[in-house]
Amino acid sequence: MAELIKLNKALVTSPLKNSACLGAALAFQGLGRSIALMHGSQGCTAFAKVFFVRHFREPIPLQTTAMDQVSSVMGGDDNVLQALDTLCSKNKPSVIGLLTTGLVETQGSDIQRLVREFKTHHPEHKNTAVVPVSTPDFSGGFEQGYAAALEAIIDSEIKVSNEQGLRKNQVNVLAAAHLNAADLEFIRESIESFGLRALILPDLEHSLDGHLGQSDYSALSAGGVALDDLRSAGQSTATLVIGASLNNTADKLHVKTGLRDWRFNNLMGLDNVDRWFACLAEISGREIALKWRRHRAQLLDAMLDCHFMCGKARIAIATEADLLIAWQELLNSVGSEVVAAVAPVSCPSLKELSCKRVIVGDFSELEKEARQEQAQLVMGSSHALASAERLKLPLMRIGFPLHDSLGAFRHLSSGYRGSQLCLFDVANLLLQNHKELPVYSSYLRASP
């Protein structure tokens, strides 16, 4: 069990944390015909939009209540009501995610009351679901905001059910923030290979998978799970939860649906993926297909090949808790050691890590720990590049945001094949930066 160290710094010079509001906005991209509305200043939304656009290289539907100096002091209730009315009238979305920023949380804005008031005064927009989510910048981070959005969606749209198993082949999937479109494709494909149907919340598989749409621009999300489909979650057979950050969300869904759930911290590494397929086999009553057995054998061969480079390798990682746990488990499976682990926010799941300690801090802490522990490789988002350059170490880009490389949202890391690709990436970086020991020349040897 790792020791969790929280630092009380007066100044953050190299921030690692992404705001909770940003995580919640990502979750709403996985609902069909949805849009996130940030209640705050224009700058709050513009800053978030820059992060998304540079990471996904796609237009991101994101709107703001555009609070100014007057509304920041006198209250921005009218801004919310006007923004909701405008969005419903112009775009007719199925879902609007109303998210708070640090500005309005400090102000004490009651968004739950505003949503009730909007529904009372605008019955013509009754077909649009408005989901309020509290996501202050000063509490939690990206994963916490993402999980809060899912909890709010479950609270708002899924009713208490006594129809468990009515859809015998349907399973619910709660997917954590670290899973991208390629990972969700694997999850859906593996579930369907057992004759089951996956109801994924949120479903980023089609909304942020980097495809060209039929129209040049859409003011709403370009894919995702439909609201009517989501409301049938109580009729499923089981729930699969991927990511420790969604434990509270899974508890909430269990209370609503009464379904048995299977929980996975991640789907990286041999043991985790074995458990995933064993679970699917148990739910469906079918055997694991030969295709997956072949992928498993390929991963075993990759582990054998990579352990020559990865064995005893000293790795420094700074990222969100779920991804940190996933990578540490994968690296440990080939003999690597995580010598420096930094997370942006304190989470109970971090204590499960097998390293000595985890620091809740920023990239400057990662830099200090990596130098002290003589790390050979740094893992983190694009913001870790400056630290890696100062350490003169290679950077393995993981997490969010990745703005200096293309296709991050298509990089598969889940399943046997995803784990195999990740191990090759790490081994190749170590191999390319391997430094040979200088040849020893004895002074006793006669000069040629």
Side-chain angles (χ1 to χ4, degrees), residues 10 61 153 229 235 272 335 339 352 374 380 396:
I153 292 167
D229 212 10
Q235 299 174 352
N272 291 324
V339 295
E352 298 175 15
Q374 299 180 334
M396 174 93 179

Short mmCIF file of all heavy atoms in Angstrom, two decimals, residues 10 61 153 229 235 272 335 339 352 374 380 396:
data_model
loop_
_atom_site.label_atom_id
_atom_site.label_comp_id
_atom_site.label_asym_id
_atom_site.label_seq_id
_atom_site.Cartn_x
_atom_site.Cartn_y
_atom_site.Cartn_z
N ALA A 10 2.19 27.02 -1.50
CA ALA A 10 1.55 28.33 -1.67
C ALA A 10 1.41 28.69 -3.15
O ALA A 10 0.55 29.49 -3.53
CB ALA A 10 2.36 29.39 -0.95
N PRO A 61 -18.78 21.02 -29.16
CA PRO A 61 -19.95 21.81 -28.75
C PRO A 61 -19.86 22.20 -27.28
O PRO A 61 -19.97 21.35 -26.40
CB PRO A 61 -21.12 20.86 -29.02
CG PRO A 61 -20.53 19.50 -29.02
CD PRO A 61 -19.11 19.62 -29.46
N ILE A 153 -26.38 12.61 -14.37
CA ILE A 153 -27.16 12.04 -15.48
C ILE A 153 -28.01 10.87 -14.97
O ILE A 153 -29.19 10.73 -15.30
CB ILE A 153 -26.22 11.59 -16.62
CG1 ILE A 153 -25.57 12.82 -17.28
CG2 ILE A 153 -26.99 10.78 -17.66
CD1 ILE A 153 -24.40 12.47 -18.19
N ASP A 229 -32.38 5.35 -25.06
CA ASP A 229 -31.62 4.12 -24.84
C ASP A 229 -31.08 4.08 -23.41
O ASP A 229 -31.12 3.04 -22.73
CB ASP A 229 -30.46 4.07 -25.85
CG ASP A 229 -30.12 2.65 -26.24
OD1 ASP A 229 -30.89 1.73 -25.89
OD2 ASP A 229 -29.08 2.45 -26.89
N GLN A 235 -33.40 -2.15 -17.37
CA GLN A 235 -33.88 -3.42 -17.94
C GLN A 235 -32.73 -4.33 -18.37
O GLN A 235 -32.96 -5.39 -18.94
CB GLN A 235 -34.76 -3.12 -19.16
CG GLN A 235 -35.99 -2.29 -18.82
CD GLN A 235 -36.79 -1.89 -20.05
OE1 GLN A 235 -36.36 -2.11 -21.17
NE2 GLN A 235 -37.95 -1.29 -19.83
N ASN A 272 -5.95 -8.26 -15.59
CA ASN A 272 -7.20 -7.50 -15.69
C ASN A 272 -8.03 -7.92 -16.89
O ASN A 272 -9.26 -8.04 -16.81
CB ASN A 272 -6.89 -6.00 -15.78
CG ASN A 272 -6.34 -5.46 -14.48
OD1 ASN A 272 -6.75 -5.88 -13.40
ND2 ASN A 272 -5.39 -4.55 -14.57
N GLY A 335 8.27 -6.16 -14.99
CA GLY A 335 9.44 -5.95 -14.14
C GLY A 335 9.89 -4.52 -13.99
O GLY A 335 10.94 -4.26 -13.39
N VAL A 339 9.17 4.68 -9.82
CA VAL A 339 9.95 5.27 -8.74
C VAL A 339 9.44 6.65 -8.34
O VAL A 339 9.83 7.19 -7.30
CB VAL A 339 11.44 5.36 -9.14
CG1 VAL A 339 12.02 3.98 -9.31
CG2 VAL A 339 11.61 6.18 -10.42
N GLU A 352 -3.91 1.96 -3.34
CA GLU A 352 -3.74 0.59 -3.85
C GLU A 352 -2.44 0.41 -4.61
O GLU A 352 -2.04 -0.70 -4.91
CB GLU A 352 -4.91 0.24 -4.78
CG GLU A 352 -6.27 0.25 -4.10
CD GLU A 352 -7.40 0.02 -5.08
OE1 GLU A 352 -7.12 -0.42 -6.21
OE2 GLU A 352 -8.56 0.29 -4.72
N GLN A 374 16.52 8.81 -9.95
CA GLN A 374 17.25 8.43 -11.16
C GLN A 374 16.35 7.68 -12.15
O GLN A 374 16.67 6.57 -12.59
CB GLN A 374 18.48 7.58 -10.81
CG GLN A 374 19.47 8.32 -9.93
CD GLN A 374 20.69 7.48 -9.58
OE1 GLN A 374 20.61 6.26 -9.56
NE2 GLN A 374 21.80 8.13 -9.32
N GLY A 380 3.50 11.30 -18.90
CA GLY A 380 2.58 12.38 -18.53
C GLY A 380 1.99 13.01 -19.78
O GLY A 380 2.26 12.57 -20.90
N MET A 396 6.96 9.70 -22.50
CA MET A 396 5.87 8.88 -23.03
C MET A 396 4.58 9.64 -22.76
O MET A 396 4.19 9.86 -21.62
CB MET A 396 5.85 7.53 -22.29
CG MET A 396 4.68 6.66 -22.64
SD MET A 396 5.03 5.53 -23.96
CE MET A 396 3.45 4.68 -24.04
#
